[in-house]
Each structure stands twice: as structure tokens, then as C-alpha cells.
Amino acid sequence: MSTRRGIISILIGAFTSLIGTAFQFILMYLLIRSYGSQLNGFVKNSIAIVSFLGTVEGGLGAITVIFLMKPLLQKDWIKANEMVNTAKHQYKISGIVGAILLAAIAIGYSTYIFLFENNFNISWNNQTISYPLWKMVLIIVIIGSKNLIALFWTACYENLMQADQNNHMRRLILMICDLISYSVIFYLISRTVDPIFVFLIFLGYSIMKGSLIYVFVKFHYPWIRIVRQKDNMQLVKSSNIVVLKNIGETLLINGDVIITALLLGLRVSSTLSLYMTITVGVRSIMMILINSFREFFAAWTAKNGRIDWNSYIKFETYAFMIGGFLFVNQFILSPYFVTTLYAPQILDQINSATAFNTWTPQEIAIFKNIFYQPTFSLLVALSSVFIVLAEPANVLVYAKANYKQTAIPTFVIGVINIVLCFFTALIFRFLVNDLSAALYGILIITCFISFLRFLYLWFYNWLFLTYNSNFKGVFRNWMILLVPIVIAILVNYLFLTKAYNPMGIYNDNLQPIWGWQKLLNMFFGLIFASLFVIIGNSILWAPGSVRGIFLRLPIIHKIWTKRQDKMRKIRQKKYEDDFITLTEPEMPYQKLWEREEALHQNTKKISEDEPPKEIYKLKGS
């Protein structure tokens, strides 16, 4: 995988995640405005819960990519076809299991909300109506089917594109489908149609994405033959092992949202989802900047074996710089974003006499903590940072195919997180009756378990996945991360929350006090200031690594390459003389023959010019 291809994949992936995050912002805004916060909470919770369906394929996607690497490098189309056919058959089995689980989740969660959530209503055409149970079930089925359809059709082809370093084309197709489908969804919401018809567009998204991927693969990989055959059991067994790892990571990343949805109510989970959309979107972009190197490291290790520690620590330096940038901007900017976009809608429902249900004081307190207090943002940002910092080691686990050794520990860590979060929320929700304490307890536990997962993966990587491992570069990487974090915490608590508190964005009448110019100035000012601090601090601690990172950026790399070519030509011209040339002539031996001939003629001429030599003969007596 070339550097240029890797950079293109990163840029397309980051831009796709950025577009997807923007669409999520708009979707939640329109859902709250057109249908109320309860439906928004129900939809966001449903998305988080059905995310577990991603584990039904048992890690088949990641393993298929790894198993396809070698035959593609060796152009062994027979072996590659065997892997693709095995993956397709296993995906169909996973799709059937996923469909059964989706039906169970849809019926179970919808019934739970319908029975235990008082008066589940939506706003529709300026009227408050009770939404029927069967429509709630259907919405969850449609949301879950968005990615489930791919298991029956094109999932194996997507793995092939990833293994062949064509992941940028896959992401480009996803971005096109997102643009089209979300445009239609926004139009339908603006027309306030029944939510069922809004989410039916997700089915069209699956069909459109599958068709584009199928066409690309058929033209780009003409050697593919889908036939009935015996499955490659090594691939099947490996994918079954990875399912534990995937479940553990899902329990860790989505556990807080799921526990909140089950125990703290739709309003709290809806309010949390508004903030978490920003968090998940920014975190996804940062993770793409790291895990886009998966295929590169997989191909590299397949060819060269283990990676040297000095090479890996540079990759980790890059990840720590990204982690610092993520923390600073998520910690400081998220409250301003969520307040600007959603505070008027929530406050209008709280203050309105025609609101569906009265917000309790505890729910209002949680709303203020999420939107206005930096402590909530601090805990969420720290959790995101530890998840991102674990990615370099996770990438190497993926590249070296050591998923079997890390699956059970990762699963155990995820289970510990969900159990601790569940009992903490249960105690504070029903025994102490303090929703804010329950929410903060969930966040603190998630933050601690995320750090624990990072430590486990880091030490596993240090012991087993790199050679010549030492602690060189570890201290400097932590300084690259901690210095921006400390500066951001001090600036936010001591200055920004006092001089520019998010509560001042709107007045009591929900009219904006801050203009968009002030918000944009703060947004871009903080981004550039954080970049300046992080880059300057990184250069102070690791100048060589930072120089290497920047020289790999597309435009800078192109300029640097041209400069190197120019300098080489200057050196070539400087040291060129009559007998030595640094450029290979059209006929390599022509100069040699001419020099040999000139030397022979000179020797002959010198011999002719010499005086005749006298010959003396010794005679014996």
C-alpha cells in the first residue's frame, strides 16, 4: 500500500465521517423539531442497541481481509476465490442469525418503552399523538436492516476491496449514498410525514450501496467466481474467535448509551445522545486517521514479519498528537456546539405548557450538566482519548492476526464495563434516586475501563508484537499528550467557563445573544490555537518524528520530493568531470571504449617518440 494511497484513503474516510456527523446533527435537530425529544431518544437508543448486530458476523470481516492479503499479493486467484466464497456463505448464515436477533430486539425494546415510559407520544402536524407499538417495532427493524442487508449481498466484496487497498473507493461509495439518502430523509421530515416513511429510505440506501459496490467489483475483479464449495475452515474458526473481541469493544464504546437508555429514561438518553453524536463523530474521524493504516501494516507484516519498536513508536507519536487534538477540541467546543444547535428546542419543551410531559427537576439538572458544565465534557473527552490511544496497538494486533490472544481479555474488559455501569446506574437510580450521580458514575467507570483497555493492549503490543521493545519514546509521547490536556483544562475552567459560558449563547426568551461570527471565531480560533500548541509541543519533544509525519503529507511530500530531485541534480552537476559522469549514457560501454582507445594511442605515441635502446651482450671468458 503506497503512502499516497494511504493518505487518500485517510482523507476520504475523514471527510466521509465528517459528512456523516453533520447529517446526524441535522437529523436530530429535525427529529426534535418535528416529532419531539422522545422520538429522537427512541431512535438514537435503537441505533445504539442494534449496533450489537455488527457482532453477529463473528469478526468475519476483519479476518477475511487478513486472509485475502496473501493470495492477492501472490495473485493466487484460486485461493482468493476460495476466501471470497467462504466469506459470502458465512455472511449469509450471519445474516439469518442477525435477522432473528433484530426481530427480538425490536419487539423487546419497543415493548419495554411502550410499557414503562409514561405516555410515549410524538408531535405530528402540531398535534400530540400516541405512537402505536407496531410502528415502533417497524422503525427498529428498518434501522437494523440498513447494514444487515449487506451481509446477504456485498459484505464479502467490501472485504475484498479493503484487502486490495481499495478502501478509499468503498468509502467514496458510502459518502455518495449518504448524500443522496439523507437529502431525501431531510426533505421528508420537513414535510412532517409519518416517521415510518422517513426511515424506509434506509432500505433504499442499502440497495444503492450494494449495487454500486457490486458493479465496481465486477469490473475491477473479473476473476471472481461465486460457486458452491466447501468453506475454508481456518477462516471460519478464526472469525468465531474474534466475535468475543468485537462484543467486548461494542460493550465498552456503546455501553454508556445503552445503560442510560434502559435505566435513566428517554429524555435523559435523548439529551445524552445530542452530546454523544458530536463525541462519536469527532472520535470516528480521529480513529480513521489511525486505523486507515491497518491494511498497510497488515501487508507490511505479511511481507517482513514483526515491526521494530523504533518504527512503531513513531506511529504512536502520531496517535498521541491526534489524541491531544481530540481532547482539546472535544472538551472545550462540544458544549458550545450542542447548546447552539439544540438548547432552544429542549428549553422550549421544558418551558412550554403544551409539552408532552413535564420535565422533572432531575432531568432538567442533567440537561444543564450536559449542555453547560465542563466536568461532563471532561469525562467524555478523556474516555474518547483512551479509546483513540488504544488504536495503534489494535492496528498491530489486526496486522499480525493476534486476535485469538486478545479476544477473551477484550471481551472480559467489555463485560466488566457493562456490569459496573449497570449496577452503578441501578443503585443511584432506584436506591439513591439521583439521576445526575447515576450518569456521572457511568461516565467515570467508562473512562477508567477505557484506560484499562489501553494499558492492556499497549503492554501486549510491547511484549509480543514488536521486537527490540524498550521504553524509549514512551515518556516523550505522554508529554506530547499531557501538556495540551493540562493547558486545555486550566484555560477552560479558569477562563472560558467564566467569560464565555455556553449559558450566555441564548437569553431567557431563547433569542441568540451570540452571533454566528463570534461562534465561528471561537471555533476556528481554538482549532488553530490547539494545532499550534500540539505541533509546537511535539516538535519540542520529538522533532525527528514530527518532521517525518509532516513530510508524508501529500502536498508537503510532493514539494519535498521535487526539492530532493533538484538538489540531486545540483550535486550531480557539481561533481561531474571529464572522466566521471553520474548519469548513465545511452551506451554504457562507449565511454570506456573511447578511453581505452585514447590510452592505447597515447601509449603507442610515447613508445615511438622514445630513443632507440642499445642492447648489450655479455660474453663469457
Side-chain angles (χ1 to χ4, degrees):
M1 182 180 182
S2 66
T3 303
R4 179 173 174 271
R5 242 177 171 180
I7 295 295
I8 291 174
S9 179
I10 290 173
L11 294 177
I12 292 177
F15 187 68
T16 302
S17 292
L18 184 63
I19 293 294
T21 303
F23 285 158
Q24 290 296 316
F25 289 158
I26 300 172
L27 177 63
M28 288 192 301
Y29 175 84
L30 294 176
L31 285 176
I32 294 173
R33 184 177 180 180
S34 300
Y35 304 110
S37 61
Q38 283 191 312
L39 181 67
N40 175 68
F42 175 74
V43 170
K44 297 303 295 183
N45 294 340
S46 300
I47 292 174
I49 293 172
V50 300
S51 65
F52 278 97
L53 295 177
T55 63
V56 298
E57 43 95 4
L60 185 62
I63 301 304
T64 302
V65 173
I66 294 174
F67 275 65
L68 278 169
M69 287 277 186
K70 190 173 182 180
L72 287 175
L73 287 173
Q74 297 175 346
K75 300 186 184 302
D76 185 353
W77 309 135
I78 296 176
K79 191 69 173 178
N81 262 307
E82 179 186 352
M83 298 302 172
V84 172
N85 280 276
T86 299
K88 191 172 184 64
H89 180 238
Q90 292 298 316
Y91 272 127
K92 286 183 177 179
I93 297 174
S94 301
I96 295 172
V97 175
I100 296 172
L101 290 176
L102 177 60
I105 291 173
I107 295 172
Y109 182 62
S110 299
T111 304
Y112 173 82
I113 294 299
F114 192 80
L115 294 177
F116 295 99
E117 186 73 21
N118 296 328
N119 300 323
F120 181 75
N121 300 317
I122 69 168
S123 174
W124 191 9
N125 295 326
N126 298 322
Q127 294 180 354
T128 300
I129 64 170
S130 179
Y131 209 60
L133 177 62
W134 69 269
K135 287 187 177 181
M136 296 168 63
V137 174
L138 194 56
I139 286 177
I140 297 181
V141 170
I142 294 172
I143 291 173
S145 299
K146 178 185 176 183
N147 294 320
L148 201 60
I149 292 176
L151 297 181
F152 293 95
W153 189 11
T154 58
C156 61
Y157 300 143
E158 293 182 50
N159 298 152
L160 176 62
M161 294 170 69
Q162 290 174 287
D164 199 33
Q165 281 79 58
N166 277 317
N167 201 28
H168 60 287
M169 289 301 302
R170 171 181 163 271
R171 286 173 172 163
L172 186 62
I173 290 172
L174 296 180
M175 184 173 64
I176 293 172
C177 295
D178 280 340
L179 287 170
I180 296 174
S181 59
Y182 275 103
S183 298
V184 178
I185 288 173
F186 296 155
Y187 172 76
L188 293 177
I189 294 177
S190 67
R191 303 292 295 179
T192 60
V193 302
D194 192 312
I196 286 290
F197 297 106
V198 172
F199 294 105
L200 277 175
I201 304 302
F202 283 142
L203 299 180
Y205 166 91
S206 302
I207 296 172
M208 180 168 49
K209 182 192 79 170
S211 300
L212 291 175
I213 288 177
Y214 183 80
V215 170
F216 175 84
V217 168
K218 284 301 179 183
F219 277 99
H220 201 74
Y221 304 100
W223 47 265
I224 289 182
R225 299 290 183 270
I226 303 299
V227 296
R228 288 180 175 272
Q229 63 170 39
K230 186 178 180 181
D231 289 345
N232 184 292
M233 295 310 298
Q234 185 181 3
L235 189 152
V236 175
K237 291 178 180 178
S238 299
S239 67
N240 291 336
I241 294 171
V242 180
V243 67
L244 295 176
K245 184 175 184 295
N246 290 349
I247 292 175
E249 291 177 347
T250 304
L251 289 174
L252 178 64
I253 295 174
N254 294 326
D256 50 357
V257 178
I258 294 169
I259 297 300
T260 303
L262 294 176
L263 296 179
L264 303 188
L266 283 181
R267 285 195 187 86
V268 175
S269 60
S270 176
T271 307
L272 179 64
S273 70
L274 299 175
Y275 186 94
M276 293 305 292
T277 298
I278 298 175
T279 299
V280 173
V282 175
R283 187 171 65 202
S284 298
I285 295 172
M286 297 300 110
M287 290 181 72
I288 283 174
L289 296 178
I290 299 174
N291 59 31
S292 291
F293 289 96
R294 280 187 173 186
E295 288 76 23
F296 167 78
F297 278 104
W300 193 92
T301 54
K303 183 178 180 180
N304 301 302
R306 296 173 70 182
I307 187 172
D308 178 67
W309 173 258
N310 291 328
S311 300
Y312 172 77
I313 202 68
K314 296 177 183 177
F315 181 39
E316 199 171 74
T317 299
Y318 166 71
F320 273 65
M321 291 174 65
I322 290 176
F325 181 78
L326 167 65
F327 177 87
V328 172
N329 290 279
Q330 184 174 308
F331 170 51
I332 297 178
L333 288 179
S334 294
Y336 295 97
F337 265 106
V338 74
T339 300
T340 303
L341 293 173
Y342 305 116
Q345 287 74 29
I346 302 297
L347 289 172
D348 183 59
Q349 292 185 18
I350 293 174
N351 299 329
S352 176
T354 59
F356 307 149
N357 294 299
T358 303
W359 283 59
T360 65
Q362 292 198 50
E363 290 172 342
I364 296 174
I366 286 181
F367 160 73
K368 291 181 179 180
N369 285 332
I370 293 176
F371 277 61
Y372 304 138
Q373 298 301 320
T375 304
F376 177 87
S377 183
L378 172 66
L379 293 173
V380 176
L382 283 175
S383 178
S384 296
V385 166
F386 292 136
I387 291 174
V388 168
L389 292 184
E391 276 305 291
N394 217 18
V395 165
L396 219 57
V397 168
Y398 172 93
K400 289 292 293 180
N402 282 35
Y403 33 80
K404 181 178 180 180
Q405 293 83 347
T406 59
I408 294 179
T410 303
F411 175 75
V412 171
I413 290 173
V415 170
I416 291 173
N417 177 67
I418 206 75
V419 169
L420 291 178
C421 287
F422 179 80
F423 283 105
T424 300
L426 199 65
I427 291 170
F428 283 105
R429 173 69 175 86
F430 296 104
L431 297 181
V432 182
N433 193 25
D434 190 340
L435 294 182
S436 295
L439 181 60
Y440 276 106
I442 292 172
L443 294 177
I444 292 171
I445 290 171
T446 302
C447 185
F448 175 75
I449 298 299
S450 299
F451 179 66
L452 183 66
R453 171 177 173 264
F454 160 72
L455 287 180
Y456 163 70
L457 288 173
W458 191 90
F459 277 108
Y460 181 85
N461 170 69
W462 190 84
L463 290 172
F464 302 109
L465 300 184
T466 57
Y467 67 89
N468 294 332
S469 299
N470 52 61
F471 291 100
K472 180 181 179 182
V474 175
F475 178 76
R476 79 177 190 200
N477 284 353
W478 276 103
M479 289 298 102
I480 288 172
L481 175 71
L482 292 177
V483 170
I485 287 179
V486 173
I487 293 174
I489 292 174
L490 293 176
V491 169
N492 200 16
Y493 274 97
L494 299 179
F495 176 68
L496 290 178
T497 54
K498 297 179 179 179
Y500 299 97
N501 195 287
M503 293 182 68
I505 295 178
Y506 295 96
N507 60 20
D508 294 337
N509 297 321
L510 303 183
Q511 298 300 316
I513 299 176
W514 294 15
W516 277 105
Q517 183 177 358
K518 185 175 182 179
L519 289 168
L520 291 176
N521 287 341
M522 174 175 282
F523 173 73
F524 288 108
L526 182 63
I527 286 180
F528 286 115
S530 62
L531 283 173
F532 176 78
V533 170
I534 290 167
I535 293 173
N537 181 57
S538 302
I539 291 174
L540 178 65
W541 292 101
S545 298
V546 175
R547 178 179 178 272
I549 291 171
F550 279 96
L551 288 179
R552 291 297 178 184
L553 296 176
I555 298 177
I556 297 177
H557 182 68
K558 188 174 182 180
I559 295 173
W560 181 73
T561 304
K562 286 185 177 180
R563 183 175 179 275
Q564 291 296 105
D565 292 340
K566 184 178 179 181
M567 294 300 296
R568 186 173 66 251
K569 290 179 181 179
I570 292 174
R571 290 194 300 270
Q572 173 183 334
K573 186 176 181 180
K574 180 179 178 181
Y575 293 106
E576 195 175 43
D577 55 30
D578 295 337
F579 299 98
I580 301 175
T581 177
L582 300 180
T583 56
E584 189 178 24
E586 294 183 2
M587 296 181 64
Y589 299 102
Q590 183 67 31
K591 292 284 186 181
L592 181 62
W593 293 336
E594 290 177 359
R595 290 171 188 160
E596 290 290 338
E597 184 65 24
L599 181 63
H600 177 71
Q601 293 296 333
N602 289 337
T603 304
K604 184 177 180 182
K605 185 178 179 181
I606 291 173
S607 300
E608 291 176 353
D609 293 342
E610 287 182 353
K613 299 179 180 179
E614 295 183 2
I615 300 175
Y616 296 91
K617 189 179 291 184
L618 296 176
K619 294 183 178 180
S621 53

